[in-house]
Amino acid sequence: MIINKNTKLIGNKVILVPYQKQHVPKYHQWMQSEELQSLTGSIPLTLEQEYDMQQSWQIDEDKLTFIVLHKESFEATDDEVASMIGDTNLFILSSDNKKVAEPEIMIAEQSAQGKGCGYEAMMIMMWYGIEKLEIKQFTAKIGQENEASIKMFKKLGFVQTKVTEVFKEVTMELNIDENIASNLKEKLKGLEIKQYE
């Protein structure tokens, strides 16, 4: 999505930056993992297809993506690729004139898993969706075996609304009201928004 191409979001643990060409080889390497393919419902792509995907994500109006950097690592090295730990996405949907988005988070680097990085990255992405895209509802689809993600989305306030046995996934939803939006802002009060160059 073009809206975020010059946006850098800096939290306490993570930094979100637009998905750029230099990020593709490491992202491609992650996605060779059968475990990550299973958890994200992805199919393996060639490196050339991954570059094409990165280009399309940059301009598609219904997809928003950020690469997640480990803040401490980036501040020590000033190297985005070395500091990459995952990505976060919003797929923009429409439902009865309500702006709905499907959020996704992947922390691919094992060293960064279970440390709250995915939780913070998802909060930042949700805030961005509410503030910049006027999202009114988030609908997450998560594999039934992905207990860590289900637990994280519950912590974010999502409620399970459906189980689809055929796809072995649960649907979790969060309707945004002023209370939820202000609580999210409060949790992210140290968030910095900078120009990405």
Side-chain angles (χ1 to χ4, degrees):
M1 192 175 274
I2 291 171
I3 190 173
N4 74 320
K5 71 174 185 173
N6 297 315
T7 304
K8 181 178 189 175
L9 302 167
I10 304 170
N12 293 319
K13 296 181 178 190
V14 298
I15 301 172
L16 272 53
V17 298
Y19 186 23
Q20 301 291 309
K21 210 170 183 176
Q22 72 263 24
H23 303 134
V24 173
K26 186 168 183 178
Y27 185 86
H28 177 68
Q29 184 183 5
W30 286 339
M31 296 317 295
Q32 301 311 298
S33 158
E34 288 183 13
E35 182 184 4
L36 285 177
Q37 288 170 24
S38 172
L39 288 172
T40 59
S42 303
I43 56 167
L45 301 176
T46 66
L47 184 58
E48 187 178 336
Q49 288 171 322
E50 207 72 74
Y51 276 112
D52 289 343
M53 191 71 76
Q54 180 269 327
Q55 286 294 305
S56 77
W57 276 66
Q58 212 167 41
I59 56 172
D60 279 358
E61 283 304 307
D62 60 349
K63 298 183 187 89
L64 176 73
T65 190
F66 282 101
I67 290 294
V68 181
L69 309 180
H70 189 270
K71 184 179 180 182
E72 191 178 313
S73 171
F74 180 71
E75 288 178 342
T77 63
D78 200 34
D79 184 333
E80 278 188 17
V81 174
S83 304
M84 286 171 64
I85 58 171
D87 76 328
T88 182
N89 311 300
L90 286 181
F91 297 94
I92 312 304
L93 314 167
S94 57
S95 169
D96 301 328
N97 299 320
K98 187 194 287 187
K99 271 210 153 176
V100 181
E102 182 180 336
E104 289 186 349
I105 181 74
M106 175 183 75
I107 300 299
E109 291 292 324
Q110 288 189 339
S111 61
Q113 292 172 358
K115 296 182 176 171
C117 294
Y119 179 71
E120 185 182 62
M122 193 77 265
M123 280 199 302
I124 295 170
M125 186 59 130
M126 287 168 60
W127 171 87
Y128 190 86
I130 295 164
E131 292 289 316
K132 304 297 181 186
L133 303 174
E134 300 177 345
I135 300 301
K136 301 296 181 197
Q137 183 185 61
F138 291 102
T139 301
K141 293 183 179 175
I142 308 160
Q144 286 176 309
E145 78 290 350
N146 194 343
E147 291 174 21
S149 281
I150 291 169
K151 186 177 174 184
M152 186 198 74
F153 277 101
K154 279 183 181 172
K155 189 177 173 185
L156 287 163
F158 283 66
V159 175
Q160 185 174 309
T161 56
K162 191 163 96 177
V163 176
T164 310
E165 292 296 338
V166 176
F167 297 113
K168 295 192 180 338
E169 70 181 16
V170 298
T171 300
M172 301 182 77
E173 294 182 354
L174 179 65
N175 289 303
I176 303 304
D177 58 26
E178 281 185 33
N179 190 36
I180 288 171
S182 63
N183 282 343
L184 197 54
K185 274 186 191 175
E186 180 62 25
K187 287 179 182 174
L188 294 171
K189 60 183 172 190
L191 181 68
E192 292 181 71
I193 302 134
K194 293 197 171 176
Q195 182 81 2
Y196 180 78
E197 294 162 8

